[in-house]
Amino acid sequence: MEKFKLIADEADYVVAYKPQGVSFHSEDGAGFVALLTEQLGYPLFAVHRLDKVTSGLILLAKSSEIAKQLTSLFSARKIDKFYLALVSAKPKKKQGWIKGDMAKSRRGTYKLVKTKLNPAVTRFYSCSVASNLRACIVKPFSGKTHQIRVALKSIGAPILGDLAYSGEPADRTYLHAFCLEFEWQGNHQRYQAVPEGEGAFGHLLAHEIFASWQNPSQLEW
């Protein structure tokens, strides 16, 4: 079995890199949490998740008590998450807020609607990094299923490779959980990981804009 990469191994939790294409929970076979538990040899407790198509950082608690504390931080929006995405269509706007309620659509997908009773709230910046390719750095301010995928589609720029949301066909869905930042036991923690097996992400990593996204919490959110 391929070993998963640990970004950090702390007293209370681990931060690991989930490759794209690996289910988070066990569905048709062992999922990421079960496989990493087997790899490390001790129980891990999920406190958030990533879609199967998304790569990047996952935080997993080492005990149920720590899991409760981390889950409450996520629920209170006290853990900042930053994502990288690539889009091939020009969005209706280059940066800003995307807000709206999310309603179920067909075949397990969702859509953004105009009401704001319990809205998904997302903010993003984007920059052209190659011909017909724009990179986005995205911060979700709520934790809805498929939130970023739905948000970018709603402004006419579905994520490259995200066929469920009308993205252009590609070798993967180009959405990556890039950075996690939060306070823990009196310390400020920040974890980052660039996309592995870069593919089209290579255009972003080689572009000068990427340097200005290295400390994402310093951007104006």
Side-chain angles (χ1 to χ4, degrees), residues 10 15 18 31 48 52 54 57 77 105 122 138 144 148 153 162 166 206 216:
E10 310 285 9
V15 181
K18 186 191 87 66
H48 69 133
K52 181 176 181 176
T54 308
L57 299 181
R77 311 282 170 244
S105 189
T122 309
V138 187
K144 314 281 188 189
I148 295 171
K153 187 192 176 189
D162 192 0
S166 311

Side-chain angles (χ1 to χ4, degrees), residues 15-54:
V15 181
Y17 186 106
K18 186 191 87 66
Q20 64 88 21
V22 177
S23 291
F24 183 70
H25 293 300
S26 299
E27 291 166 9
D28 355 321
F32 180 74
V33 179
L35 292 169
L36 188 62
T37 296
E38 190 183 324
Q39 178 180 317
L40 298 180
Y42 51 79
L44 295 168
F45 300 81
V47 294
H48 69 133
R49 54 162 302 181
L50 290 178
D51 293 341
K52 181 176 181 176
V53 299
T54 308

Side-chain angles (χ1 to χ4, degrees), residues 72 79 127 198 204:
S72 68
I79 296 184
C127 174
E198 301 164 1
L204 167 60

Side-chain angles (χ1 to χ4, degrees), residues 42-199:
Y42 51 79
L44 295 168
F45 300 81
V47 294
H48 69 133
R49 54 162 302 181
L50 290 178
D51 293 341
K52 181 176 181 176
V53 299
T54 308
S55 59
L57 299 181
I58 284 280
L59 180 62
L60 294 158
K62 290 186 175 180
S63 72
S64 55
E65 186 48 49
I66 295 298
K68 276 185 203 159
Q69 293 176 44
L70 288 170
T71 299
S72 68
L73 285 183
F74 272 108
S75 300
R77 311 282 170 244
K78 290 185 176 173
I79 296 184
D80 289 329
K81 298 177 285 182
F82 303 93
Y83 290 77
L84 302 174
L86 296 181
V87 301
S88 55
K90 195 172 180 184
K92 291 174 189 167
K93 55 184 178 181
K94 291 181 181 176
Q95 62 183 59
W97 294 97
I98 306 169
K99 300 178 184 179
D101 289 329
M102 282 174 55
K104 284 193 172 176
S105 189
R106 52 181 195 271
R107 294 195 298 278
T109 62
Y110 295 82
K111 60 185 176 184
L112 208 67
V113 294
K114 287 191 163 60
T115 57
K116 295 187 177 71
L117 301 173
N118 180 20
V121 178
T122 309
R123 190 159 187 198
F124 79 106
Y125 292 93
S126 75
C127 174
S128 174
V129 294
S131 176
N132 299 320
L133 192 66
R134 183 169 280 272
C136 306
I137 187 161
V138 187
K139 182 180 181 185
F141 287 81
S142 47
K144 314 281 188 189
T145 302
H146 295 186
Q147 178 172 326
I148 295 171
R149 299 164 68 186
V150 171
L152 291 174
K153 187 192 176 189
S154 78
I155 57 166
I159 295 169
L160 180 65
D162 192 0
L163 302 184
Y165 287 98
S166 311
E168 287 283 323
D171 58 332
R172 62 162 290 185
T173 295
Y174 277 90
L175 180 61
H176 174 77
F178 174 51
C179 180
L180 289 169
E181 202 161 336
F182 56 98
E183 300 291 327
W184 184 253
Q185 317 290 25
N187 295 313
H188 188 76
Q189 309 287 49
R190 185 177 71 162
Y191 304 99
Q192 277 180 222
V194 298
E196 293 180 350
E198 301 164 1

